[in-house]
Amino acid sequence: MGSFFNDIRRNLFGWLGREFLIFLFFLAVAGIFWLLTTLNDNFEQELKMPVRLVNVPKNVVITSGEDDTLRVTVRDKGISLITYLYKDQQPTINIDFNRYARADGSGSVPASDLLRLADMHLPASAQAIGVKPDAEHFTYNNGERKKVPVAYRGKVEPDMRYFISDIHYSPDSVTIYASERKLDSIAKVYTEPIQGKGFRDSLVATAQLQGIDGVKMVPNQVMVSFYTDMLTEVSISDVPVVGINMPEGKVLRTFPSKLSVSFVTGMKSYQHMTAADFLIVADYNELGNDSSAQCNVYLRQQPADIQRVRLERNKVDYLIEVRGEK
């Protein structure tokens, strides 16, 4: 009985298997025929083609993007478009500098010429029917340049107990090439935004320089290093009070004659500070308007890297002495 059912199952599945294979064969043939028919129709596809300026004189510096990419819409049979899409590299469109350069330091290639140049790299069956952008622009100069410093842009915040004590750029300046008018208007160049938060020791970032239309920068990126120092509240004592605008022959005596200055700064910076880095003054011109025996004192000079500065007191007793009097 068992062999009987096995024979039936083997014959049944063998017949169904052959029928199924025949069905798959004809399905594949139909699919291939449909694909070949479809690929023989015309389609439109956008291709990216590199652009390069050629025949540039040796004394000329291109200040805009010397190499660019055009998006060219091509119409051709589907089978041909597939070969374009899977090419490792599209043909380069060469633009003759001497043909399109103008005396004002600029040049422009219209869309009609870009389409013609693209067509030269396509098979006879293909046609370039659209291009983006609709014109190719470039700027140049004859070597005019100058060096300008670099500054960073962005948001860089160390840990709340630290502050940025020093910023180092490598290089700290770059050479820019542009028209004479633009060179005169540029005092410094800036990086693309740099972001950093919560660091304690240092932060090093490599940043591209922010592009300026019609300006070439060499190099076009810099390394920016941010160094930190730990904040601490300290004071400097024995800073003399100095009289200013004193008439000849008169001397200002204050009581006390020296004051302390409290502030917040980094430990490294504090180690090099002395009383000579600060200047506390009392202005003689204010004394005539004040009937009291005290005068105001002001901090007129202080190191750049300190914060939250406070004087020990804002008023002191004073006495005006005339030289020569005993």
Side-chain angles (χ1 to χ4, degrees), residues 50-123:
V51 177
R52 182 177 61 196
L53 281 170
V54 296
N55 300 325
V56 180
K58 290 184 178 180
N59 64 321
V60 166
V61 177
I62 304 300
T63 56
S64 57
E66 189 173 351
D67 296 309
D68 207 345
T69 302
L70 290 177
R71 302 194 307 277
V72 181
T73 302
V74 177
R75 178 183 293 150
D76 200 353
K77 295 186 181 300
I79 190 66
S80 298
L81 289 175
I82 288 177
T83 61
Y84 303 151
L85 291 173
Y86 288 96
K87 273 187 178 180
D88 291 337
Q89 188 173 1
Q90 296 295 341
T92 299
I93 298 175
N94 293 327
I95 296 175
D96 188 346
F97 172 87
N98 295 309
R99 178 169 181 176
Y100 297 100
R102 296 190 291 257
D104 64 354
S106 66
S108 182
V109 187
S112 57
D113 284 9
L114 292 174
L115 288 172
R116 177 180 56 80
L117 292 169
D119 263 332
M120 293 170 57
H121 297 282
L122 297 174

Side-chain angles (χ1 to χ4, degrees), residues 149-153 188-192 208-212 217:
V150 177
Y152 88 93
R153 274 185 174 151
K188 65 174 64 175
V189 293
Y190 295 90
T191 67
E192 294 286 349
Q208 291 287 127
L209 295 179
Q210 203 164 50
I212 304 174
M217 304 177 190

Side-chain angles (χ1 to χ4, degrees), residues 24-39:
L24 288 180
F25 171 75
F26 283 107
L27 180 63
V29 170
I32 292 171
F33 179 76
W34 172 83
L35 180 62
L36 291 174
T37 302
T38 301
L39 291 178

Side-chain angles (χ1 to χ4, degrees), residues 238-296:
D238 296 331
V239 180
V241 179
V242 178
I244 60 172
N245 298 319
M246 298 299 297
E248 188 175 354
K250 291 188 177 182
V251 178
L252 177 68
R253 305 289 185 190
T254 63
F255 307 95
S257 61
K258 297 179 179 180
L259 297 175
S260 295
V261 183
S262 300
F263 52 91
V264 173
T265 189
M267 286 297 298
K268 297 174 188 175
S269 300
Y270 175 66
Q271 292 172 4
H272 302 287
M273 291 182 188
T274 65
D277 296 317
F278 299 83
L279 176 63
I280 301 174
V281 302
D283 191 345
Y284 178 83
N285 292 334
E286 292 186 1
L287 303 183
N289 301 324
D290 192 349
S291 59
S292 70
Q294 291 189 319
C295 63
N296 295 319

Side-chain angles (χ1 to χ4, degrees), residues 112-251:
S112 57
D113 284 9
L114 292 174
L115 288 172
R116 177 180 56 80
L117 292 169
D119 263 332
M120 293 170 57
H121 297 282
L122 297 174
S125 62
Q127 181 186 8
I129 59 173
V131 62
K132 295 177 183 178
D134 56 7
E136 182 72 10
H137 304 284
F138 62 91
T139 56
Y140 70 95
N141 74 0
N142 293 312
E144 294 87 358
R145 63 189 182 276
K146 76 173 184 179
K147 259 195 167 184
V148 294
V150 177
Y152 88 93
R153 274 185 174 151
K155 191 173 183 180
V156 180
E157 297 177 346
D159 183 271
M160 62 182 299
R161 292 171 294 175
Y162 292 76
F163 77 106
I164 296 173
S165 60
D166 192 21
I167 303 174
H168 181 260
Y169 298 90
S170 180
D172 60 0
S173 59
V174 298
T175 301
I176 60 173
Y177 296 82
S179 65
E180 190 171 341
R181 183 177 178 182
K182 279 204 170 182
L183 288 177
D184 291 340
S185 67
I186 299 173
K188 65 174 64 175
V189 293
Y190 295 90
T191 67
E192 294 286 349
I194 299 174
Q195 305 295 331
K197 189 175 182 180
F199 60 96
R200 295 186 176 184
D201 185 16
S202 62
L203 173 68
V204 179
T206 299
Q208 291 287 127
L209 295 179
Q210 203 164 50
I212 304 174
D213 189 35
V215 178
K216 181 178 182 178
M217 304 177 190
V218 181
N220 62 0
Q221 68 176 24
V222 296
M223 183 178 292
V224 188
S225 302
F226 301 88
Y227 299 100
T228 64
D229 197 357
M230 181 176 283
L231 287 170
T232 182
E233 187 166 4
V234 291
S235 64
I236 293 284
S237 58
D238 296 331
V239 180
V241 179
V242 178
I244 60 172
N245 298 319
M246 298 299 297
E248 188 175 354
K250 291 188 177 182
V251 178

